[in-house]
Amino acid sequence: MTKKVAFLLIALMLVFVACNPSTGEAPQPASEGVTAEPGLDANQPTGMGMGPGSGMMARHHAKIPDEYAGLENPMLASEDSLGRGAELYSTYCASCHGDGGMGDGPAGQVLDPLPAPVAHTSRMLGDDYLFWRISEGGTHEPFASAMPRWQDVLDDDARWDVINYVRALGSGQIMPGQRVGGAAFDAEAEAAKHDAMAAAGVQQGILTQEEADTFLAVHAEMDTLMAAGMEEQDGGMENMQTVMLARLVGDGRITQENADVFSNVHERLLAAGLME
Ligand code: HEC
């Protein structure tokens, strides 16, 4: 995984964490590329809002119903699965979520809330959350969205195939189909945004340059950890960031102080509205 992808994951993760200061949430490696590796399994819920005040927090904290909680994707993210997922996604999802899964499909732009950038969020969301959301859609609280319910249209296997596909899209390792519209995942642009976010924090006097540097350096370490493939965490994203930071400290890659600065910085960036 590239550094940029990790930046992006982490930034999302930070958004999640920030909406629940007592827990850390984090991403997990998603799956493969065209070359089918076993799906690493991602984890965790959330929607990504378009900023503070959006429905992201409510979505994120929605309790996964018992019948879904803990479900794991039984479908290996093989080339076959991704191929089927690609077809399904183009047919049923891209109009709203966009070819690249960035939430920017042509039919989605008039919706409130907007379609989630599933290529991103799926990498941090648990199998159970994704399967639940795709199965049941968003007509109920706390979602109250136009996200359709798919369980009567797509059987279980098809829903897992499409989950494999959106995660692969978010890895930047497969090319989106170009049938409907919407931008492709752009890891570099995302990374640039996060650098800019830290820079803005410094400029606005929210962070010292040193804090910004530490923040970005810890991001980079997390990236390495993610690239190496984090195994599944109990509690999914709820404690992923905490786990990652603790692991990096334990491995001597960062100091406890770095970890504390990191957590503190992102809370401040968030509070300042700089965390997109
Ligand atoms: C009519 C537009 C529309 C279509 C078609 C659609 N979605 Fe969505 N989807 C949304 C909206 C709007 C949201 C955000 C609100 C919500 O979470 O309910 C969403 C949310 C989601 C989420 C939750 C992501 C998160 O970050 O919380 C997933 C997963 C998802 N969609 C997958 C799919 C898949 C897979 C398909 C195709 C089988 C699909 N959607 C088709 C509109 C759509």
Side-chain angles (χ1 to χ4, degrees):
M1 168 177 332
T2 65
K3 173 171 181 180
K4 299 94 194 263
V5 171
F7 266 98
L8 194 162
L9 290 173
I10 287 157
L12 282 168
M13 162 178 94
L14 299 183
V15 171
F16 302 147
V17 167
C19 71
N20 186 353
S22 64
T23 66
E25 300 195 52
Q28 259 218 23
S31 333
E32 73 328 292
V34 165
T35 52
E37 327 164 346
L40 290 167
D41 211 298
N43 329 295
Q44 163 61 184
T46 167
M48 166 158 180
M50 297 317 275
S54 73
M56 182 272 284
M57 295 184 189
R59 295 218 293 276
H60 173 216
H61 292 293
K63 183 180 180 309
I64 301 174
D66 289 347
E67 54 196 298
Y68 294 96
L71 277 186
E72 287 180 18
N73 189 346
M75 184 72 69
L76 194 70
S78 65
E79 214 166 321
D80 281 352
S81 172
L82 292 176
R84 291 188 300 267
E87 278 301 314
L88 296 168
Y89 184 84
S90 288
T91 308
Y92 298 110
C93 319
S95 57
C96 285
H97 290 284
D99 283 336
M102 304 291 279
D104 55 355
Q109 302 318 298
V110 296
L111 303 176
D112 178 19
L114 285 165
V118 289
H120 289 191
T121 61
S122 63
R123 293 175 57 79
M124 305 192 222
L125 296 167
D127 289 348
D128 51 0
Y129 175 89
L130 293 172
F131 194 77
W132 166 42
R133 297 305 321 285
I134 294 169
S135 299
E136 303 206 352
T139 52
H140 49 289
E141 287 302 321
F143 307 109
S145 76
M147 167 64 186
R149 160 193 173 100
W150 295 103
Q151 63 187 358
D152 309 319
V153 178
L154 306 175
D155 65 17
D156 287 20
D157 285 356
R159 278 173 273 153
W160 290 121
D161 284 333
V162 91
I163 286 171
N164 285 336
Y165 181 75
V166 295
R167 282 182 172 155
L169 270 181
S171 73
Q173 291 170 339
I174 58 169
M175 290 305 291
Q178 293 181 313
R179 301 200 203 172
V180 177
F185 175 91
D186 185 344
E188 281 187 28
E190 292 298 325
K193 243 191 277 184
H194 296 121
D195 285 342
M197 187 173 79
V202 172
Q203 208 168 28
Q204 297 181 22
I206 294 157
L207 308 179
T208 63
Q209 183 60 50
E210 201 183 341
E211 285 171 329
D213 292 345
T214 301
F215 181 72
L216 293 173
V218 173
H219 264 310
E221 289 293 344
M222 283 179 156
D223 163 38
T224 312
L225 193 56
M226 304 251 322
M230 278 277 299
E231 61 276 11
E232 194 174 347
Q233 302 298 322
D234 285 344
M237 202 145 140
E238 293 302 321
N239 59 12
M240 182 101 169
Q241 175 179 322
T242 311
V243 169
M244 285 178 94
L245 289 173
R247 168 100 57 104
L248 290 171
V249 171
D251 290 352
R253 307 271 290 270
I254 63 173
T255 63
Q256 182 59 50
E257 199 189 337
N258 294 152
D260 294 343
V261 169
F262 179 86
S263 303
N264 182 276
V265 163
H266 86 63
E267 258 164 52
R268 277 147 60 203
L269 286 174
L270 198 100
L274 287 176
M275 210 136 232
E276 53 175 49

